[in-house]
Amino acid sequence: MKYRIIRCQSSSSSSSSSSTLTSLDTIVPIVSFMLQFLCLGTLSVLNSRQHAHAFSVSREIKFNDRLKKLVSQGNLHQARSKRNGERDRSRYNDRRSEMNGAQYAESVLMQALAEYDASRLTENVGKLAMRPNHFSFGIIISGYAKIGDWEGAESILLKMEHLYNDGNHNWLKPDVVKYTNVIKALARSLQQRKSINISSKKKSEKVVKRAESLLERMESSRDPHQFPNTLTYSAMIDLYAKTGNAKKALGILDKMELSERSGNSNVKPNEITYNACLNALAKGGESDGPEQAKKLLRRMEIAYKQGNRHVKPSIITYSTVMGLYARYKKPFEAENILLDALGKYKNGENNEQPDCVMYNTAISAWSKSSHQDAPLRAEKLVKIMIDEGYPNPNTVTYNSLIDAWSRSYINSDGSSIGASRAEEILSKMEHEFMRDRDTCIKPDSRTYTSLIDALAKSRHIGSARKAEVILRRMKRAFEVGNESAKPTKFSYSALIYAWAKSGEPGAAQRAESLLRETERLGKDLKPFTQTYDAVIDAYAREGNYEKAENIFNEMLIQYLGGDCDVEPSVRSYNKVLSSYSNNVDINDSLIARAQAFLAKWNAQRKEGKIHVQPNFVSATILIRMFSKKHSLEGAEGAERILKYMQTRYNAGDIGMKPDIIAISSCITAWLRSGSTHSLNRILSLYKQVLDMYQAGDQTMKPSKTFYNLIIEACLTKSDEDFFVEKAYDVIIEMFGDKLTVPQRSLCERVGEALQKSSIDQKEERIAKIDSMRRSIVYQ
C-alpha cells in the first residue's frame, strides 16, 4: 500500500523525480525478499534449537540407561572378557580391576560431567557435550545403596550438593529421593556387616548417627523437595530394626502418625512402615515385644477399616507377629493369630488366605513348647491345612511336626511315645516321595535327624539301635535319588547322643566307634564340637573319667592346632567334670583331680587359649561330688563351693549365680553328713532360698525336690516337736503350687510324725493334710 501511495504522488510530480521512483520500484522487492529470508532463517534457528534440545534429552536418556547397566552388571569387565575374549580383557582390566559396578559407573559419570563443563567454556554452543542430569547421580546413589556402600552413596550426595552450591550446576540440587537412598545404603550396610560377621557395636552406632544426622538435615531444610516422606521414615525404621532398637523405630512411627494428623499426607505410614516396626520388635529382644507387635497389628487393622488402604495387613505382617510369639514360646498366641487370619479370610475381610509360612510358624511354635498337648495341637493345625485344601503341607511342616513329637514326654516314667509317631510321619513322607518325586513332601536330612533325636529322647530299650536303622534308611534314600536326604554331621551327632543316653552295655564304646567313622568319611562329615561332646557325655554317664579326658584332650589339641570347628564349649568341660562326679568311687583323690581340671580350665582361659569359663553348672557338679562323700568334710566342702559361687556372683560374674539346684545339692551334702548341727545349716539354707524367692528371684523358686529334702531332713529328728512342726509347715507350703504337690507317702510320714508328737491340735493338722491331698486328687 505504501508503494501505491508513492506511485500516486509521483504521478503529479515533475519529471525530475521519475528516476528516483524507478529506483524504488527496484529496491522494494529486494528488501521484501530479504525480510522474508531473515524470518525463515529465524524459524530455522528456532527449529534447530528444538531439535538440539530433543537430541540432548535423547542422549541423556541413553547415558542414564548405560549407567543403569553398569551398576547392575557389577564387575562388567569379567563378563565382557568372557564374551569378547582377550581383546576386551586388557581394555577393561586396567580401568576396573578394583571397581564394582557402582564405582565404575561413578567414574563414567564424573568423566561425562567434566567433558560437559569443558565444552561449556568453548565458543561453539552447538557442540556442547552431553549433560548428566540429577537422575544420573540418583542411579549411582541407588547402586551404592543396593550393595550397602553408604560411604560411596554419601560421597555422591555430597558432590551433588557441592556442584549445586557452586552456582554452575543448578539442575543438580539433591531431592528427597537422593537423601532417602543414602539412608537405605546405611541400613543395608548393617545387614552386610552382619552377614560377614564383622559387625560391631561401635560401627553400628556410627552408622545410626550418620543416618540420624542426615534425617535432621532433611527435617530442618527449607526446601520442600528435601522434606522426609514415607519412604524416608520407613528406611530409618528399617535401620533401627537392623540394630534391634525397637524403641526408636516406634518413635519414628509415632512421629509419622502425628505429622499425618497435622495434615502432612507425604508421611502417611503404609504397610512397609508397620512391617519394618514389627521387624524392629522381632530383633529387639524386649520381653513385651510380642504384645507390642500385636498392638501394631490391631492398629493396622483399625486404620484399614477406617479407609487407609495402604496399611492392609499382609501375610508377611501376620507371619512376623506369629514369629515373635513363637520365639518367646507362646504357641497359643501364635496359633490364635493364624486362626484369626483364617477367619478373616473366610468372612471376606481379607482376600489373602494364610500361607504355608504362617502354618509352619504356628506348628514350629508348638514344636518348641513343653506343653503336654503340644504335638496334638501341631497335628490339629496340619489337619486344618489338609481340610482347607490350601496350602499343602510341605517338608518344613512335617519336620516341625516331628520336632513336636520328639519333645513330648507323656508317660509317667518320663519316657516318650513321640518317637513312634515321628516314625509314622517319616514313613508317610517317604511314601509320598516314592509315589511322586515332584511332591513338596520330601524327607530331607533334618527329617531323619529329628527322628533320630526323638529316639534318643525316648528312653526306650533298643532306641539307639533303632536310630542306627533310621540312619541306614537315610543313606538308602540318598542313594536312590533323594539328594536332600544326604547324611550330615548333625545326623551322626544325634546318633551318638542316642547311644550316650541309651544306658545299654557298651554304649560309650559304640559312640566312640561312630566318632571314628565320621573321621574317615570325609570333610562334610568331619566331627565338630557337638560330636565330641556326645562321646564325652557317653563316657561321663558311665563315670569313665579317663576315657572322657582322652576324648576331650584330643578335641582340645585339634582346636589349639587351628581347627575352630572343635572349639571346646562350656558343655565340653562340664561333661568331663560330670565323668568324675558319676564315678562310683568318690574319694579325695578324685575330687582333687576334678579341682585340678577346673584350675587348668581357668588357666587356659586367662592365657587366652579358650574363650569359655566355668559357670554355675561347673560349681554344682563339684558340690555334688562333695555330697557323695557322706561326711562332715564333704558337707563343709560343698558349702565352701556354694559360698565361692555367691562371692563370684556378687563380684559381677553372672554366670556363677547359685540356683535352686546348687543349694539343693548343698542341702543333700549336709543331710548325708551325719553331723549333729546339719539340720541347723539345712534350715538356714531353706530360709535363704525363701527370702530370695520372695524378693523376686525366680531362679530360687523352690522345687518339689527341694521341699522333699527339707522334709526328709526334719523327719530325721521326728522325736523333736520343733522339727516335726517345721515339716508340717513345709508340706502345707507344697500344696500351694500344683508343680510341688507332695506324694501320698510323704504326707503319711508327716502325719505319723505328728501323731507321735506332743504338738497342740495335731489331729486337726493331720486332718488338714489329708483334706488338702484329697482335694488335689479329686481335681
Side-chain angles (χ1 to χ4, degrees), residues 718-722 724-725 752-763 765:
S718 59
D719 55 339
E720 298 184 26
D721 289 353
F722 172 80
V724 174
E725 193 163 6
E752 291 172 3
L754 282 167
Q755 190 68 48
K756 294 177 182 179
S757 71
S758 56
I759 298 172
D760 294 337
Q761 299 179 337
K762 62 182 180 181
E763 296 297 337
R765 297 188 182 199

Side-chain angles (χ1 to χ4, degrees), residues 176-177 180 215 218 223-235 252-253 255-270 273 308 310:
V176 63
V177 177
T180 299
L215 183 62
M218 296 176 71
D223 185 352
H225 295 97
Q226 293 180 348
F227 290 166
N229 59 17
T230 299
L231 293 177
T232 311
Y233 284 121
S234 296
I252 294 287
L253 178 62
K255 182 192 292 187
M256 292 177 71
E257 291 179 334
L258 180 62
S259 183
E260 182 199 355
R261 287 193 293 270
S262 300
N264 185 0
S265 60
N266 290 329
V267 294
K268 192 173 187 178
N270 57 22
T273 313
N308 186 355
H310 300 290

Side-chain angles (χ1 to χ4, degrees), residues 71-72 100-102 137-149 153 181:
V71 167
S72 63
N100 57 41
F137 285 81
I139 291 167
I140 309 301
I141 293 175
S142 179
Y144 279 122
K146 288 178 181 178
I147 61 174
D149 186 352
N181 279 333

Side-chain angles (χ1 to χ4, degrees), residues 284 303 344 623 648 678:
K344 283 183 170 61
I623 292 175
R648 287 280 302 274
S678 61

Side-chain angles (χ1 to χ4, degrees), residues 725-771:
E725 193 163 6
K726 180 61 69 175
Y728 169 78
D729 292 340
V730 173
I731 208 164
I732 294 299
E733 193 170 342
M734 291 178 73
F735 281 109
D737 188 339
K738 64 180 181 180
L739 296 177
T740 60
V741 173
Q743 296 289 333
R744 178 177 178 178
S745 59
L746 189 62
C747 294
E748 291 174 348
R749 289 179 61 196
V750 173
E752 291 172 3
L754 282 167
Q755 190 68 48
K756 294 177 182 179
S757 71
S758 56
I759 298 172
D760 294 337
Q761 299 179 337
K762 62 182 180 181
E763 296 297 337
E764 289 81 354
R765 297 188 182 199
I766 294 171
K768 184 176 181 179
I769 293 174
D770 190 55
S771 174

Side-chain angles (χ1 to χ4, degrees), residues 311-354:
V311 295
K312 180 183 178 182
S314 66
I315 295 299
I316 296 173
T317 311
Y318 287 111
S319 298
T320 305
V321 179
M322 289 175 63
L324 262 168
Y325 279 118
R327 181 182 302 176
Y328 283 83
K329 297 185 178 180
K330 294 184 177 181
F332 287 100
E333 291 82 353
E335 181 180 304
N336 288 338
I337 296 289
L338 169 66
L339 297 179
D340 184 48
L342 181 61
K344 283 183 170 61
Y345 170 74
K346 290 183 175 181
N347 296 334
E349 297 179 40
N350 197 334
N351 58 2
E352 285 188 291
Q353 187 173 0

